[in-house]
Amino acid sequence: MIHLNFQNIIRGKGTKKEHGIFTITGLGIFLGIIGLLTQLYDTPFTFRLVCISNLGNPNYNTRSWWLFTLDFIFGAFFLLPHSLYVYRHFQTPNKFLGRLWLLLSILGCFGLVMVGIFNETINPAHIIFALFAFGGIGLSLFLSLIIMGWKIFAKEPWPTKGHYLGFVLIIIGFISVIINELRIYGIDVPSDLNLTEWVAFLLLM
């Protein structure tokens, strides 16, 4: 039987095994509920016609919009311990970069909670907090690239060049899809960029 010390996990002080189980399970539940919401949506769901926030709109998702709220609060609940764990183990080149990374991650988690609470019928609050969520987690992701590159330059044991290259290629792949969508649709008609939003969301997760 696997025993998890949740008190240590929540503080970001769990073991590598505990943290891995907690994070993978949490991410699976979070994305699983997103998948369930797409099936409970009032009209047939497609990534091009339905944006993420529509899933939490009581006018469009009359049966399960409340589940969107709970899921995004839960998402922040499992991402915050992950941020604390990574901060404690990242061993950043200097304290400023590490604290900046943690601050951005916390802002992203805060944004997730508020996006869930303030659904898209409550604007401009929903849009503002969506910027917190996407901006905070997105900027922390790119700061991770800088920190990891710095560690490779310093010839530290982690990350290896292979790990770093794989991470970069994944990000390039997602960004390429986003750029292609912007090239096709532009930014004048945001409703045509639903797939771009989904790709960005999955990249951040």
Side-chain angles (χ1 to χ4, degrees), residues 115-178:
V115 162
I117 294 174
F118 294 92
N119 63 59
E120 72 171 354
T121 65
I122 308 173
N123 278 318
H126 180 79
I127 295 175
I128 292 172
F129 290 123
L131 291 175
F132 271 82
F134 275 92
I137 299 176
L139 289 174
S140 70
L141 176 65
F142 285 101
L143 184 57
S144 297
L145 285 176
I146 296 174
I147 294 173
M148 292 169 69
W150 193 331
K151 292 169 75 70
I152 288 177
F153 184 75
K155 297 182 179 180
E156 295 189 19
W158 186 91
T160 65
K161 292 180 180 178
H163 287 152
Y164 187 72
L165 179 60
F167 188 41
V168 171
L169 289 176
I170 290 172
I171 292 177
I172 289 175
F174 276 97
I175 291 178
S176 296
V177 175
I178 294 172

Side-chain angles (χ1 to χ4, degrees), residues 81-94:
H82 172 70
S83 298
L84 293 173
Y85 178 88
V86 172
Y87 173 71
R88 295 181 187 280
H89 293 81
F90 219 168
Q91 298 178 345
T92 52
N94 61 61

